[in-house]
Amino acid sequence: MAMLKGRRVVLGVTGSIAAYKSAFLVRELVKAGAEVRVVMTPGAKEFITPLTLGTLSGHPVHSELTDDREAGTWTDHVELGLWGDVVLVAPATAHTLAGMVEGRGDSLLLTVLLSAKCPVVVAPAMDRDMFTHPATTANLDALRSRGVHVIEPEEGELASGLEGKGRLADPVRIREELTAWFRNHAPLLGYRALITVGPTHEPVDAVRFIGNRSSGRQGVAIAMELARRGMTVDLIAGPIDLATDHPGIDRRDVGTALEMNAAAQEAARAHAPDVVIGTAAVSDVRPSAPIDGKAAKGDLPDHLGLTENPDILAGLNASVPADCFKVGFALAHDDGLEAALRKKDRKGCDLMVLNSLADQGAGFGHTTNRVRFVHGPDRIDSFELKSKDAVAVDLAEVIQARLLQRPPIEPDSTL
Ligand SMILES: Cc1cc2nc3c(=O)[nH]c(=O)nc-3n(C[C@H](O)[C@H](O)[C@H](O)COP(=O)(O)O)c2cc1C
């Protein structure tokens, strides 16, 4: 049950005789702590009134693309699609399922489904012969192949008087399946991560900089894995050449350590992250007096005055909630364990991920990594060389086990 607490469910109700059951479904979801916004097709209003569903959900029900033709207002289907953690269509008619497959936008619900970035679950309901028709079978297969989860209808007596499969799944079963689905697919929904990634470039002049060879691959792999598990990720990225296409990732690109620090501080204060992961290879120093414009070869100074950059991860400690799980990264050129333990204490981290340049295939630039998770002097977990994606999964497992011991941090409790 707890899995549905705070989950945002856009409930699509379509023109099936089973639409009356959506009233019970709304109650089940609301009782389980979900926030429900109902979108009805015009056909659904023949079977149940918006007043019923609006009252039970506690929010206005939307069914038309335009709110008030006279006033020229319209329902923001994009906003609704982005709001939801899931769009659940229950009951889903053969007509709406076909519209989803074809990508039609002739009802508000279909446009919400086209705009939604979140996962979609459908619970079909129809007469036996409609359900077993090859068109319906093909449509459901097509939707499954796009990642839509189908809650199978039940067998039994149908409104038409026929016996067979097609009856809308019981609202309690729909709620249970939705809960299980959230647990499996998005166990960390509602939790938030702040991740720094990549190198920083510290300008010497307008074109030259001090930097390092960090590719950002490991940090991006971690961001993608946590987003896949449902987390919202603030990703503060130094100059990297990698895409991070996931709706759960809110990316901010920066250049220098000072910019990265400011962006990370801002995100930490605004969003109270549940976990902070400092994967960025932040330049320790920056030129004290960058030259304006591009210096000619002969005008370059013999020596560069350098200023120490802030320790971004250590500095975040003051801006994140006490409960926040802090993960640091250490790249050693030798064994590095003693240094990693010292770094862990200095930066106030709960976990240090240590990799060493001494290991073939580990560290900057590679697609593989060999890491140790340094929890403390008495708990060090060593892993074999594996892909950076696989390292991200290992780390996500540790983070998940830790976070699921408590609910997500509320942004107000930042300080
Ligand atoms: C009394 C009645 C019951 C209906 N029940 C269903 C149903 O259970 N499933 C279904 O797919 N269509 C059913 N229909 C047909 C749909 O209402 C019709 O296909 C409509 O266009 C669906 O539009 P919508 O998907 O936009 O709501 C029923 C029609 C009537 C008149």
Side-chain angles (χ1 to χ4, degrees):
M1 278 286 257
M3 214 61 220
L4 285 183
K5 192 164 184 307
R7 304 291 190 244
R8 294 182 294 197
V9 180
V10 177
L11 176 64
V13 180
T14 67
S16 153
I17 185 67
Y20 75 93
K21 291 189 187 169
S22 57
F24 299 98
L25 179 57
V26 172
R27 289 209 55 188
E28 280 297 319
L29 297 174
V30 170
K31 263 196 313 194
E35 232 189 296
V36 182
R37 302 274 161 96
V38 177
V39 179
M40 300 174 80
T41 61
K45 291 196 284 186
E46 302 285 333
F47 297 91
I48 184 164
T49 68
L51 186 60
T52 304
L53 299 181
T55 307
L56 292 172
S57 67
H59 294 285
V61 170
H62 299 285
S63 58
E64 308 292 337
L65 278 155
T66 47
D67 270 344
D68 180 342
R69 280 172 205 275
E70 297 298 311
T73 55
W74 58 292
T75 309
D76 192 343
H77 52 275
V78 178
E79 198 270 332
L80 264 169
L82 295 179
W83 175 84
D85 293 322
V86 65
V87 181
L88 166 66
V89 187
T93 55
H95 176 253
T96 289
L97 292 172
M100 288 170 72
V101 172
E102 286 176 20
R104 284 207 312 267
D106 46 15
S107 71
L108 173 67
L109 177 59
L110 286 171
T111 58
V112 168
L113 285 158
L114 282 173
S115 310
K117 296 251 195 272
C118 60
V120 175
V121 175
V122 295
M126 62 199 73
D127 192 54
R128 181 194 67 194
D129 295 339
M130 289 172 80
F131 185 68
T132 52
H133 194 282
T136 307
T137 306
N139 285 339
L140 286 172
D141 284 346
L143 291 175
R144 280 193 196 93
S145 73
R146 289 183 206 162
V148 172
H149 177 68
V150 179
I151 298 179
E152 291 291 327
E154 291 171 359
E155 303 247 0
E157 194 186 329
L158 300 165
S160 61
L162 289 173
E163 281 276 333
K165 194 169 176 182
R167 205 163 68 178
L168 178 69
D170 184 78
V172 173
R173 209 190 102 211
I174 295 180
R175 193 251 297 143
E176 285 170 355
E177 272 208 35
L178 196 65
T179 306
W181 182 87
F182 268 121
R183 190 174 296 118
N184 292 337
H185 291 83
L188 292 178
L189 206 74
Y191 292 90
R192 203 151 185 140
L194 168 56
I195 306 180
T196 62
V197 61
T200 62
H201 287 179
E202 310 298 331
V204 172
D205 68 6
V207 294
R208 302 174 179 90
F209 60 82
I210 296 175
N212 59 64
R213 296 183 194 284
S214 167
S215 64
R217 272 201 197 100
Q218 186 61 80
V220 164
I222 294 164
M224 294 295 277
E225 181 59 30
L226 292 180
R228 255 179 241 121
R229 292 173 188 233
M231 281 187 102
T232 304
V233 179
D234 280 308
L235 186 69
I236 316 294
I240 56 170
D241 199 11
L242 295 170
T244 47
D245 293 331
H246 191 291
I249 297 182
D250 204 351
R251 172 166 166 177
R252 182 100 185 260
D253 289 296
V254 296
T256 66
L258 290 181
E259 287 166 8
M260 185 174 279
N261 193 39
Q265 284 286 346
E266 196 184 309
R269 286 176 198 280
H271 298 138
D274 296 277
V275 57
V276 166
I277 310 172
T279 71
V282 182
S283 177
D284 299 306
V285 292
R286 63 180 182 276
S288 310
I291 300 162
D292 276 341
K294 177 180 181 285
K297 193 172 168 187
D299 293 340
L300 283 168
D302 292 335
H303 301 282
L304 278 178
L306 297 174
T307 303
E308 206 172 313
N309 274 326
D311 184 327
I312 297 178
L313 193 51
L316 280 173
N317 277 344
S319 307
V320 297
D323 244 8
C324 176
F325 187 60
K326 294 179 234 41
V327 182
F329 270 68
L331 177 64
H333 50 80
D334 50 13
D335 176 70
L337 185 56
E338 290 304 317
L341 282 164
R342 281 197 302 277
K343 196 169 173 183
K344 176 177 174 295
D345 288 342
R346 196 174 67 244
K347 290 179 181 273
C349 292
D350 300 288
L351 170 68
M352 210 69 195
V353 180
L354 169 64
N355 52 13
S356 172
L357 289 172
D359 287 324
Q360 279 287 330
F364 286 178
H366 298 285
T367 53
T368 50
N369 210 353
R370 178 157 181 244
V371 300
R372 275 173 284 174
F373 289 173
V374 182
H375 295 266
D378 303 326
R379 186 175 164 207
I380 295 148
D381 299 328
S382 299
F383 296 85
E384 292 308 308
L385 184 75
K386 49 175 82 177
S387 72
K388 286 187 171 172
D389 288 345
V391 171
V393 171
D394 290 336
L395 182 60
E397 286 294 319
V398 173
I399 291 169
Q400 183 167 320
R402 187 71 176 237
L403 293 189
L404 290 184
Q405 290 170 12
R406 59 159 177 80
I409 297 170
E410 296 288 332
D412 315 347
S413 62
T414 309
L415 292 172

